Amino acid sequence: MSRSGKSSNKCDRNAASGSRTNQGSSEASYLDHEIAHLTRLGSEPNEHFSRVVPGKLRLRLPISPVDMLVGREANYSGRGRFSSADCCHVLSRYLPINGPSVVNNMGSHTYVSQFSADGSLFVAGSQESHIRIFNVDAGWTVQKDILARSLRWTITDASLSPDQRFLVYSSMSPIVHIVNIGSAETESVANVTEIHEGLDFSLGDDDDDDYTRGIFSVKFSTDGRELVAASGDNSIYVYDLPTNKLSLRIQAHESDVNTVCFADETGHIIYSGSDDSLCKVWDRRCFGTKGQASGVMMGHIEGITFIDSRGDGRYFISNGKDQVVKLWDIRKINSVRINEEWDYRWMKYPAHARNMRHPQDQSLATYKGHSVLRTLIRCYFSPTYSTGQKYIYTGSADSYVYIYDLVTGARVAKLDFHLDAVRDLSWHPFYPALVSSSFDGVIAHWEFPGGNEEPVPAKQRRRWRREHL
């Protein structure tokens, strides 16, 4: 995790005109796999719209919204309306690259920033104990300002319950706290204005060094009844909320487990990533008899900082300290490891290692260009509703936000505003809007430039930062 340092500040915006500079890896550029076809099915228009502009669909060139409206009025698809894929084809062309506007300045390194599932709330957590919940629908007003309890080093993660009544937050401690965000109080000071209940993930261990058992990642299950957590003691924990006790501990890796998540809404399958450079797949339905991972995914040559599931129980992406995002299919399994002695918190990544490839790499594609240093940089699939999950987006230690095309590997946007590492970011589930949070303390809101206006020039953004930060 990051301790100090400052990132560079440069400008490179190739997305404003919709151009796609191919900065992806050769693997991603030639991705020909089931997920590529699923992505196209979910984000490309009905083939009958090619009647409007002959040959465009065959060449995979964008069909304009005007052409699609003509095709809809003429009922070329036979439906008389747009399908979800048709809508995604239109919406996914409008990337959130304009601005940004500043939502808030947290005043310290900001580690967590996430929209709720319906996009009505936004959660941000900083190193100086504050977690703020913004009401997006009410003009980004602060609905809850939470002062964390028993903080160790920083807020490492925070997660909203599916019903948006509760929030859990973690730090470098085996105690995860849960707070009721539906109460009337705006200022939530632990054990003063409200109770922040502590959930013990330590199993009563006698180890006095709580830092080695700190929680790096915590997530609610889809039904809100369980929490899954990644710990510095090399373990994964599952906590049952109705019974208020740990239901499972998996001694999962040989080093810190930095990230964990449920694979889909069933909660049966869990993905984990560790500093041992491995991603693992765990099936809880057969764990009692096997007691080991269902799959080991090898390809990263350094530790894993974050995993995001596509939500289908089959595909996920991972960010690694080897400076790449990788795409995985859990039906491909393998096991070796290459790891040099370096510390990503304060050392540059060795230049000679940037093009190294794991000899048993089983990933489907690799996306390069961003920087994974100093902290556990996060990456995500873009939303299903508006983009058909056709993009991957990630923060970066060089202060930019990067957006890649899932299928081609092209870098479609590189957003410049922040002065320091961008650790977390979140794309609105329904609108072309993205929020990034940085170690400069700023929460920035990016939107699609409506009315065909150009994005705000980098010179103006830099002037604003000099005046306000």
Side-chain angles (χ1 to χ4, degrees):
M1 304 189 65
S2 175
R3 306 279 171 169
S4 63
K6 184 166 180 67
S7 59
S8 61
N9 176 30
K10 299 179 182 178
C11 178
D12 182 350
R13 294 287 293 273
N14 66 312
S17 63
S19 62
R20 299 192 173 188
T21 304
N22 189 359
Q23 297 291 330
S25 70
S26 58
E27 299 101 309
S29 299
Y30 298 99
L31 180 59
D32 184 17
H33 184 273
E34 178 186 349
I35 189 173
H37 303 298
L38 290 173
T39 302
R40 288 176 180 133
L41 284 173
S43 61
E44 289 191 348
N46 187 283
E47 61 181 6
H48 293 288
F49 285 121
S50 62
R51 294 182 189 177
V52 180
V53 185
K56 273 198 173 184
L57 194 68
R58 186 184 71 252
L59 295 173
R60 298 199 182 280
L61 296 174
I63 297 175
S64 76
V66 173
D67 292 335
M68 292 183 67
L69 286 169
V70 171
R72 186 184 68 178
E73 294 305 308
N75 197 21
Y76 285 142
S77 68
R79 297 192 192 97
R81 59 180 176 82
F82 284 153
S83 68
S84 60
D86 297 334
C87 294
C88 282
H89 175 74
V90 175
L91 288 172
S92 65
R93 298 176 62 192
Y94 304 120
L95 294 176
I97 59 174
N98 197 41
S101 58
V102 173
V103 172
N104 199 262
N105 191 334
M106 300 290 285
S108 65
H109 289 181
T110 306
Y111 278 75
V112 179
S113 59
Q114 285 296 299
F115 280 107
S116 60
D118 65 359
S120 65
L121 300 177
F122 183 83
V123 178
S126 72
Q127 190 170 21
E128 294 299 325
S129 302
H130 278 280
I131 304 170
R132 291 188 180 130
I133 300 176
F134 299 90
N135 189 320
V136 178
D137 295 339
W140 290 88
T141 57
V142 176
Q143 177 170 309
K144 201 82 167 177
D145 192 351
I146 299 169
L147 186 62
R149 175 184 176 188
S150 305
L151 188 71
R152 286 288 195 95
W153 176 242
T154 185
I155 301 292
T156 55
D157 204 3
S159 179
L160 277 174
S161 62
D163 61 8
Q164 300 179 182
R165 291 179 55 207
F166 298 96
L167 178 132
V168 292
Y169 60 89
S170 61
S171 67
M172 295 301 294
S173 161
I175 307 298
V176 170
H177 291 92
I178 186 167
V179 58
N180 183 356
I181 66 167
S183 64
E185 295 285 345
T186 299
E187 299 292 326
S188 179
V189 181
N191 291 352
V192 176
T193 61
E194 294 181 324
I195 299 298
H196 293 196
E197 183 181 356
L199 310 178
D200 191 352
F201 282 70
S202 67
L203 285 175
D205 293 342
D206 295 328
D207 187 352
D208 291 330
D209 186 4
D210 281 354
Y211 275 96
T212 65
R213 295 177 292 150
I215 303 298
F216 291 107
S217 175
V218 61
K219 297 288 181 289
F220 272 99
S221 60
T222 304
D223 61 11
R225 297 175 62 86
E226 291 183 314
L227 299 173
V228 63
S231 173
D233 67 356
N234 310 347
S235 300
I236 299 169
Y237 293 91
V238 178
Y239 197 97
D240 186 83
L241 290 170
T243 62
N244 199 30
K245 65 180 182 181
L246 284 173
S247 59
L248 179 65
R249 178 191 183 186
I250 305 172
Q251 294 177 301
H253 290 268
E254 296 180 0
S255 189
D256 293 356
V257 184
N258 295 324
T259 178
V260 67
C261 66
F262 290 105
D264 56 24
E265 62 183 13
T266 68
H268 296 315
I269 298 174
I270 295 172
Y271 301 146
S272 64
S274 166
D275 275 342
D276 64 10
S277 79
L278 301 177
C279 299
K280 292 188 178 183
V281 181
W282 309 88
D283 191 334
R284 298 165 64 193
R285 292 167 295 186
C286 56
F287 185 76
T289 56
K290 293 176 60 179
Q292 60 185 14
S294 299
V296 178
M297 315 301 291
M298 297 190 330
H300 283 288
I301 60 175
E302 298 292 349
I304 315 301
T305 64
F306 196 73
I307 284 176
D308 184 45
S309 173
R310 191 170 182 265
D312 54 11
R314 190 172 290 180
Y315 300 103
F316 68 90
I317 55 174
S318 58
N319 227 353
K321 297 176 185 179
D322 51 1
Q323 315 302 295
V324 300
V325 173
K326 283 187 175 289
L327 171 67
W328 306 90
D329 179 344
I330 69 170
R331 294 167 295 183
K332 294 176 175 285
I333 297 174
N334 213 330
S335 266
V336 188
R337 163 189 176 201
I338 303 174
N339 203 0
E340 296 200 7
E341 293 298 325
W342 73 287
D343 194 315
Y344 85 122
R345 291 175 296 179
W346 51 76
M347 297 171 65
K348 293 183 178 179
Y349 192 67
H352 71 274
R354 287 188 177 273
N355 295 316
M356 288 179 65
R357 183 185 174 105
H358 195 292
Q360 296 181 340
D361 187 355
Q362 292 298 302
S363 62
L364 301 179
T366 302
Y367 308 85
K368 300 179 180 179
H370 61 291
S371 176
V372 185
L373 298 168
R374 302 174 53 212
T375 186
L376 302 177
I377 303 288
R378 297 181 168 190
C379 64
Y380 300 93
F381 288 99
S382 63
T384 302
Y385 178 85
S386 59
T387 71
Q389 296 182 301
K390 70 181 295 182
Y391 302 117
I392 288 170
Y393 63 106
T394 178
S396 181
D398 62 9
S399 78
Y400 298 112
V401 172
Y402 289 77
I403 304 176
Y404 300 106
D405 186 289
L406 175 86
V407 176
T408 68
R411 188 188 71 212
V412 299
K414 182 180 177 182
L415 309 185
D416 171 28
F417 177 73
H418 290 288
L419 298 174
D420 211 333
V422 178
R423 184 182 191 265
D424 202 7
L425 62 174
S426 187
W427 197 311
H428 193 283
F430 304 114
Y431 304 125
L434 184 148
V435 176
S436 54
S437 61
S438 167
F439 275 15
D440 62 14
V442 173
I443 302 170
H445 182 219
W446 305 83
E447 294 183 295
F448 173 73
N452 295 320
E453 70 260 28
E454 289 294 315
V456 176
K459 185 176 181 179
Q460 290 181 228
R461 292 194 299 274
R462 286 194 290 270
R463 185 186 304 120
W464 186 96
R465 288 183 297 189
R466 284 196 300 270
E467 294 172 354
H468 294 85
L469 298 183

